[in-house]
Amino acid sequence: MVHVFISKISVLNYFNFSTHSPRKAAPSSLGQNYNIKGKMSSEPVNVNDFKEMARLKLPKMYYDFYAGGAEDEHTLRENIQAFCRIMIRPRVLVDVSQIDMSTTILGHRISAPILVAPTAAHKLAFHEGEQATARAAAAAKTIMILSYSSTCSIEEVASSCNAVRFFQLYIYKRRDISALLAQRAERFGYKAIVLTADAPRLGRREADIKNKMIRPPMKNLDGLMSFDVNADEGSKFETYANMTLDASLRWEDIMWLRSTTSLPILIKGILTHEDATKAVEAGVDGIIVSNHGARQLDFAPATISVLEEVVHAVKGKIPVLLDGGVRRGTDVFKALALGAQAVLIGRPVLFGLAAKGEGGVRTVLEMLKNELEISMALSGCPCIKDITRSHVRTPYDKLPSML
């Protein structure tokens, strides 16, 4: 078996940011400790700040792999911009002295409706990889969904800490490998399978093609599949995926997956009411509205723009989660108001991990939780169930409101 090595550039070193000695406070009538000319803090104040920190620390190939989208990256931009077109309608004179952000996902209680999305190759960001991310998610009392293409194994992440976690599954041409992965996840305490359904082939990620991106090591497939890839041009990661993933996967195959595991199955990659209806008919236990972080089909819709369509099709029969473009607590609030039970966070977690390791991931999750708490308080919503459709106005609501 031939293994593909990543790069001569080591990404296993954890960099420390330089610290600056505090400047003496200038005398001021406002108080001795008030520094009028003080330097701006180098510490991040929101999750977007971690993106630039990660860009400065990562080799270009790896930063582009994390940050990039498909083709012209229209959907990548739209995932974020679509949130900006939704306004919040706050209520006042409501007792918000106590805010409860906790919720339940498939029967598992979490501190806030913010989960860690499945993302690949965390060791490209930090030497402890997914184990560090898992500990951060556990500290935040939320659920991490482990990627099938993780650089730590199912077993290593399971042993890293005690927490609820799900496992993301792709279906390979060799179905026995997919079945084995699902069974390993169940055996080691994972609580659900997240079937990614929007990748019969890998999307055209042009940054990876230009960088000749090398396939990251996928620890879960050691001893199960050859990693030998013959690709003189373009992304070897894309070549490998297209060689191994099963493009013949159909709705009928949900029954096959059911036969391999007793775990609940969520399907990730739904963007239309037609597919949401089929998912319910197929008997899945939940839906994740996702366009794969805008890495598959460019000009697919922003996930927040189709969330309500999917929610209406499901009619409350199964939970609906949202993945894509969440960068603020207000984004979480908007998704909940439009019917999502929770949101998934992908790139901000990776950027936090690259910038500051496990502590960076913890900070990213805490920032979003704190912003959500403020959004709920300022909107008159003491708990998650108080957030309703009447708390937001979308572009589609404007015309009736003007008549």
Side-chain angles (χ1 to χ4, degrees):
M1 183 183 298
V2 178
H3 291 267
V4 178
F5 291 93
I6 297 289
S7 170
K8 291 182 180 179
I9 302 174
S10 172
V11 293
L12 304 184
N13 294 322
Y14 179 44
F15 297 82
N16 291 315
F17 283 94
S18 61
T19 56
H20 302 277
S21 299
R23 181 182 295 181
K24 282 188 176 181
S28 168
S29 60
L30 298 178
Q32 191 173 3
N33 294 325
Y34 184 81
N35 185 0
I36 295 175
K37 297 181 179 180
K39 291 183 178 179
M40 288 181 63
S41 171
S42 61
E43 290 299 306
V45 296
N46 58 58
V47 301
N48 291 310
D49 290 343
F50 280 102
K51 183 176 182 180
E52 178 61 14
M53 295 169 73
R55 187 187 68 80
L56 295 173
K57 295 191 69 170
L58 290 172
K60 184 178 186 299
M61 176 186 288
Y62 303 148
Y63 174 79
D64 288 350
F65 173 67
Y66 287 148
E71 296 185 355
D72 295 319
E73 299 187 339
H74 169 83
T75 299
L76 182 65
R77 295 185 294 273
E78 186 65 9
N79 262 358
I80 294 173
Q81 292 170 2
F83 276 102
C84 299
R85 294 190 287 272
I86 300 171
M87 295 293 106
I88 295 175
R89 302 179 66 243
R91 311 295 161 75
V92 298
L93 296 179
V94 177
D95 181 0
V96 290
S97 57
Q98 299 292 326
I99 300 293
D100 181 7
M101 296 184 292
S102 64
T103 191
T104 302
I105 303 296
L106 296 182
H108 304 289
R109 197 74 175 172
I110 55 177
S111 63
I114 302 169
L115 282 67
V116 174
T119 49
H122 290 204
K123 279 192 177 181
L124 300 187
F126 182 66
H127 68 276
E128 291 184 330
E130 288 82 4
Q131 292 185 74
T133 306
R135 291 194 298 268
K141 296 182 174 60
T142 193
I143 296 169
M144 173 187 176
I145 305 174
L146 181 67
S147 170
Y148 87 107
S149 55
S150 58
T151 42
C152 295
S153 69
I154 289 170
E155 295 81 1
E156 288 171 336
V157 174
S159 65
S160 65
C161 59
N162 184 25
V164 174
R165 60 184 63 87
F166 300 165
F167 180 69
Q168 176 210 32
L169 185 69
Y170 280 56
I171 304 300
Y172 294 103
K173 292 176 182 178
R174 283 190 56 187
R175 294 282 181 93
D176 59 312
I177 291 178
S178 295
L180 179 61
L181 291 175
Q183 291 158 8
R184 279 170 59 188
E186 183 170 2
R187 187 164 66 252
F188 282 89
Y190 292 71
K191 300 303 182 183
I193 297 296
V194 175
L195 174 65
T196 292
D198 59 0
R201 294 184 60 178
L202 214 65
R204 184 175 173 81
R205 304 165 191 177
E206 295 181 358
D208 292 346
I209 294 171
K210 291 175 182 176
N211 292 330
K212 297 187 176 181
M213 177 65 190
I214 301 171
R215 187 202 59 76
M218 291 190 279
K219 195 71 178 290
N220 290 316
L221 297 177
D222 280 353
L224 297 176
M225 188 179 294
S226 172
F227 298 148
D228 191 15
V229 175
N230 295 316
D232 296 328
E233 297 181 1
S235 165
K236 293 184 179 180
F237 186 53
E238 178 183 1
T239 301
Y240 176 80
N242 291 339
M243 284 172 50
T244 57
L245 297 180
D246 187 353
S248 72
L249 189 67
R250 300 183 303 163
W251 285 106
E252 292 80 0
D253 295 316
I254 299 292
M255 289 300 295
W256 166 82
L257 181 58
R258 280 268 185 230
S259 72
T260 70
T261 177
S262 63
L263 293 177
I265 296 171
L266 295 91
I267 188 165
K268 179 174 177 285
I270 301 296
L271 291 171
T272 65
H273 72 87
E274 293 94 339
D275 281 346
T277 300
K278 285 181 177 292
V280 173
E281 293 171 351
V284 301
D285 300 284
I287 284 174
I288 301 175
V289 178
S290 174
N291 54 33
H292 212 106
R295 294 163 68 82
Q296 284 295 95
L297 177 65
D298 201 16
F299 288 91
T303 51
I304 191 65
S305 71
V306 296
L307 171 61
E308 200 166 20
E309 173 184 338
V310 172
V311 168
H312 286 165
V314 168
K315 299 177 181 176
K317 295 176 182 177
I318 55 176
V320 176
L321 287 70
L322 178 112
D323 167 60
V326 175
R327 298 295 183 271
R328 287 284 189 179
T330 48
D331 296 339
V332 181
F333 184 95
K334 293 170 185 179
L336 298 177
L338 291 173
Q341 189 169 338
V343 302
L344 277 59
I345 308 299
R347 286 184 178 91
V349 166
L350 290 169
F351 295 146
L353 186 66
K356 289 179 173 288
E358 179 183 335
V361 179
R362 287 192 187 198
T363 302
V364 164
L365 294 173
E366 287 303 317
M367 282 178 170
L368 289 171
K369 287 170 65 176
N370 290 340
E371 289 179 3
L372 174 60
E373 182 177 4
I374 293 170
S375 300
M376 291 172 64
L378 296 180
S379 300
C381 298
C383 60
I384 295 297
K385 67 178 178 60
D386 294 320
I387 304 173
T388 68
R389 180 61 174 83
S390 66
H391 283 95
V392 293
R393 176 173 291 147
T394 73
Y396 307 105
D397 300 329
K398 285 185 177 179
L399 182 59
S401 70
M402 294 170 63
L403 294 177

